[in-house]
Amino acid sequence: MRNLLLLVLISVCLAVPALSFNRDSNWIQHNRAGKHEIVNFHVALNQRNLDVLESTLLDVSNPESPNYGKYWDMESVLALVAPEQSVVDQVAQFLRNSGCQSIEVHSDFIKASAPVSAVEKMFSVDMFNYKHAHKAGQTLVRSKQTYTLPKEIREHVHIVTGLSELPHLKNGPKAHKLNTKASPSSDPGIVVPATIQGLYGIPTGYNNHKNTSLCLAEFSDDRSYNPKDLNTFASKTGTPLINVVKNVGPFQPTNPDLESTLDVQYGGAIAETAQVWFWTVDGWMFEFSSALAEQYPAPYIVSMSWGWPEPLQCESGIGNCQNGETSEQYVDRVNTEFQKIGLRGITLLAASGDQGAPGDNNPSCNNKNKPISTIFPGASPWVTSVGATMLSAPSSSASGDNSDIPVCGIHHCATSTSELVCSYPAALITTGGGFSDYSPRPSWQSSVVETYLNSGVALPASNFFNSSNRGFPDVSALGHNYYVVAGDQMQVVDGTSCSSPVFGAIVALLNSYRFNNNKSPLGFINPVLYAAAASNNNAFTDITTGDNKCTEACCAKTGYLATKGWDPVTGLGTPNFKGLLAYVQTLQ
Ligand SMILES: *[C@@H]1O[C@H](CO)[C@@H](O)[C@H](O)[C@H]1NC(C)=O
Ligand SMILES: *[C@@H]1O[C@H](CO)[C@@H](O)[C@H](O)[C@H]1NC(C)=O
């Protein structure tokens, strides 16, 4: 799980629409940016027909609807929501007249670049060079204060990104220190693809349709896996070579990072011969989702092991901040982009966070006023939110023979078949979960979430969470002790970063079944997942042991408990492939 700080600043003295951007205090302001330096930014235009977008998406994703699976093509989706051409032209013309050097006009946003001098005049900002305090060589040109929308285009513009945000660069997933000593008896052993396939009944040598695809999306400074590591991983774990067909965005294969490496190795290994896309994003969720919404052809599944709390506390005295208000605007815009993507039949998945219910607003467990926090995109209703479990230490009921897997001949591989909530201190992370700050509870989950809230289970105090909102995660999968090969080194890692690509790969295999039967992909899959759980198909294993009161470093008093049925710790539970497939086979 990687974090990106979304901190929101608005100007209180100017009557402009609230503006939103990300700030991380690890960025140190240096000298003024050179007047001729080029700044790249995105202008997100106001959209239309958003009520139709939402109701249509819910209709084509509802397994009971005659329109189930009848997705729209990209052109129709963009035609529905894009502003009138005259509006797009007017904003583009304004940008051109204001000194932008390049302008790329899309249907509902404009990518532009302009010298610092033009940007400063247009948006009433002072641009500075920023350097990261802990990451040598990381520099950005950003505004000192929040931007002001020029009055000529104010009524047409939703938000502008790329001017002011200073993204959070944090290390993750969490790697275990490796020791050569025998594992303690409490250690369940390392997880390899065969562990996951065995536990969830995922077939190997699956008859994948050639259109089956899975995309791993990366943000911030994570730009690479090393192709050589993929070969080593395949040979050590006895899995087929991973079929990366497309790299989008900046890619630096010489400097592999753990997040990208984990995502590609486990997404690729579990999705078997699927076409794997690797997409690195300059920017955050808006830049990614607006680009994906109009990408053609596009991958059918996208896993994002990234997130940061929905509303963020303000930091470091840069401007004034009205907590939550403008963050909500950013979240709203990205949720609309996610809906556009869903209506095209693309499945989005996101990790539910590694800091338990306390979340990234309370990693030290000592925030008395706001002891629990949420995550975005992991709390978005329009993604499948994936939490983490771990295996209990092997007991007499242990099963599984891994002796044919090379790495299991050297290291102790997991054999337990019983799962519980992935939590510190047994693990290096605690799975995130709770209730969104902004998004009301969708109907597809209302019955099971209300059952949880009315079950009598101990809940956090009601003023600490919004119980009428979207509960997350939806599902979970193993997230502890994954074996990966990064930079030719063995690493053992923990994180909901493990769980999201694995669940995404399972959806890829289910898509393959549908393609083989000439059906459409599963698309926005949440209504189907909850319907599958309610059917008698044994689609999930309910996880009932544990809670998410801890973080990566400590345990707080407040959090949620896993119980029978859906809970905001492990969602519906972990997948049972045969049961999920049996339900998917009933869909039109
Ligand atoms: C809970 O969230 C809803 C939006 O779903 C919002 O209307 C309501 O004001 C929130 N309640 C509180 C107490 O914040
Ligand atoms: C597979 O992809 C091709 C090319 O995009 C498309 O024409 C075909 O309809 C797809 N098949 C299925 C079953 O989705």
Side-chain angles (χ1 to χ4, degrees):
M1 184 71 196
R2 298 290 304 253
N3 305 305
L4 196 88
L5 180 62
L6 283 187
L7 177 96
V8 173
L9 309 179
I10 69 159
S11 164
V12 290
C13 11
L14 295 157
V16 296
L19 311 171
S20 127
F21 56 85
N22 323 320
R23 287 248 168 195
D24 176 356
S25 58
N26 285 313
W27 290 97
I28 311 298
Q29 183 186 314
H30 268 258
N31 52 334
R32 279 296 282 263
K35 294 275 171 230
H36 305 292
E37 239 182 289
I38 297 299
V39 180
N40 300 305
F41 57 97
H42 282 60
V43 178
L45 303 170
N46 287 326
Q47 295 156 309
R48 300 187 295 176
N49 301 317
L50 298 184
D51 50 343
V52 180
L53 174 69
E54 178 165 330
S55 60
T56 310
L57 173 58
L58 288 171
D59 187 30
V60 301
S61 313
N62 175 1
E64 304 295 325
S65 166
N67 294 319
Y68 178 76
K70 295 185 179 160
Y71 304 116
W72 288 24
D73 61 24
M74 174 184 65
E75 289 79 11
S76 308
V77 175
L78 296 177
L80 176 71
V81 299
E84 282 172 38
Q85 191 59 43
S86 61
V87 167
V88 184
D89 294 343
Q90 186 192 331
V91 176
Q93 192 57 46
F94 174 82
L95 293 171
R96 217 168 274 127
N97 293 346
S98 305
C100 286
Q101 291 189 339
S102 80
I103 292 177
E104 208 181 286
V105 179
H106 298 252
S107 40
D108 55 8
F109 70 94
I110 297 173
K111 263 167 97 167
S113 66
V116 161
S117 53
V119 165
E120 293 189 332
K121 193 150 168 261
M122 223 180 325
F123 296 103
S124 310
V125 287
D126 301 312
M127 301 301 283
F128 280 78
N129 291 305
Y130 285 82
K131 291 188 181 175
H132 199 272
H134 309 297
K135 303 238 176 184
Q138 290 282 339
T139 61
L140 283 172
V141 174
R142 286 294 187 267
S143 63
K144 176 184 165 195
Q145 60 285 86
T146 187
Y147 61 90
T148 302
L149 287 177
K151 65 176 185 317
E152 293 86 344
I153 58 171
R154 192 173 290 165
E155 65 174 307
H156 302 308
V157 175
H158 193 176
I159 54 175
V160 181
T161 68
L163 297 180
S164 308
E165 59 271 51
L166 291 168
H168 192 79
L169 310 180
K170 197 188 167 195
N171 292 324
K174 290 279 179 179
H176 290 261
K177 278 216 184 68
L178 294 177
N179 57 40
T180 47
K181 288 184 226 125
S183 300
S185 59
S186 61
D187 178 355
I190 60 172
V191 167
V192 294
T195 320
I196 299 161
Q197 289 161 330
L199 189 66
Y200 301 145
I202 301 167
T204 55
Y206 198 60
N207 181 20
N208 253 342
H209 190 278
K210 64 176 172 26
N211 287 16
T212 308
S213 58
L214 170 72
C215 174
L216 295 316
E218 312 296 343
F219 298 82
S220 190
D221 55 344
D222 280 358
R223 300 260 152 104
S224 92
Y225 61 87
N226 186 328
K228 260 168 65 187
D229 288 339
L230 303 190
N231 298 350
T232 309
F233 179 78
S235 67
K236 300 259 181 177
T237 59
T239 48
L241 266 184
I242 293 163
N243 178 23
V244 183
V245 298
K246 195 147 176 158
N247 288 314
V248 184
F251 181 57
Q252 293 153 356
T254 48
N255 186 23
D257 62 80
L258 216 43
E259 181 69 64
S260 304
T261 300
L262 166 70
D263 291 352
V264 172
Q265 289 181 358
Y266 279 83
I270 302 299
E272 305 192 35
T273 54
Q275 301 186 22
V276 172
W277 290 52
F278 181 72
W279 190 320
T280 63
V281 181
D282 247 339
W284 178 232
M285 288 296 153
F286 174 71
E287 285 80 2
F288 177 57
S289 57
S290 57
L292 175 61
E294 57 167 46
Q295 169 81 27
Y296 185 83
Y300 287 112
I301 316 235
V302 179
S303 169
M304 304 176 282
S305 289
W306 291 75
W308 194 251
E310 285 173 299
L312 259 221
Q313 296 173 356
C314 299
E315 286 212 351
S316 67
I318 314 168
N320 293 295
C321 178
Q322 290 184 359
N323 203 5
E325 190 179 340
T326 60
S327 185
E328 184 165 8
Q329 208 178 12
Y330 187 91
V331 165
D332 273 355
R333 176 64 181 224
V334 176
N335 276 336
T336 298
E337 300 301 318
F338 287 170
Q339 291 176 4
K340 286 162 58 182
I341 291 163
L343 187 50
R344 293 183 54 193
I346 298 168
T347 310
L348 295 169
L349 302 103
S352 74
D354 291 348
Q355 302 265 29
D360 285 303
N361 265 348
N362 188 17
S364 314
C365 304
N366 54 12
N367 187 337
K368 295 258 183 317
N369 299 325
K370 202 175 183 318
I372 54 185
S373 53
T374 60
I375 190 162
F376 190 78
S380 166
W382 310 107
V383 306
T384 300
S385 180
V386 189
T389 60
M390 61 187 181
L391 290 166
S392 60
S395 64
S396 50
S397 71
S399 70
D401 173 16
N402 295 319
S403 57
D404 54 337
I405 298 164
V407 68
C408 300
I410 304 164
H411 298 278
H412 165 53
C413 286
T415 54
S416 167
T417 55
S418 116
E419 289 172 270
L420 64 164
V421 173
C422 186
S423 174
Y424 178 88
L428 298 176
I429 64 117
T430 302
T431 190
F435 293 82
S436 167
D437 287 287
Y438 303 139
S439 299
R441 176 142 61 251
S443 60
W444 37 263
Q445 68 165 196
S446 59
S447 139
V448 291
V449 175
E450 272 148 36
T451 300
Y452 176 82
L453 290 168
N454 297 327
S455 67
V457 66
L459 294 168
S462 60
N463 55 320
F464 292 147
F465 72 108
N466 192 328
S467 65
S468 63
N469 280 354
R470 189 268 202 269
F472 69 99
D474 298 299
V475 293
S476 43
L478 286 179
H480 175 52
N481 266 7
Y482 275 44
Y483 165 84
V484 298
V485 178
D488 219 22
Q489 302 285 310
M490 165 179 175
Q491 302 268 2
V492 177
V493 301
D494 287 12
T496 47
S497 282
C498 306
S499 317
S500 181
V502 162
F503 202 90
I506 289 171
V507 180
L509 297 178
L510 295 170
N511 265 353
S512 183
Y513 165 82
R514 287 187 53 90
F515 294 149
N516 283 333
N517 288 278
N518 262 318
K519 292 183 180 179
S520 57
L522 288 157
F524 173 56
I525 197 177
N526 290 356
V528 161
L529 294 175
Y530 285 77
S535 73
N536 288 323
N537 286 305
N538 192 23
F540 292 96
T541 302
D542 194 5
I543 307 301
T544 56
T545 308
D547 62 60
N548 61 9
K549 295 180 180 179
C550 302
T551 66
E552 291 176 352
C554 51
C555 292
K557 290 203 177 65
T558 314
Y560 303 92
L561 306 177
T563 62
K564 194 167 175 307
W566 181 91
D567 49 64
V569 187
T570 55
L572 298 166
T574 56
N576 177 356
F577 189 85
K578 283 196 184 64
L580 275 171
L581 180 60
Y583 182 78
V584 166
Q585 284 172 330
T586 68
L587 299 171
Q588 75 183 32

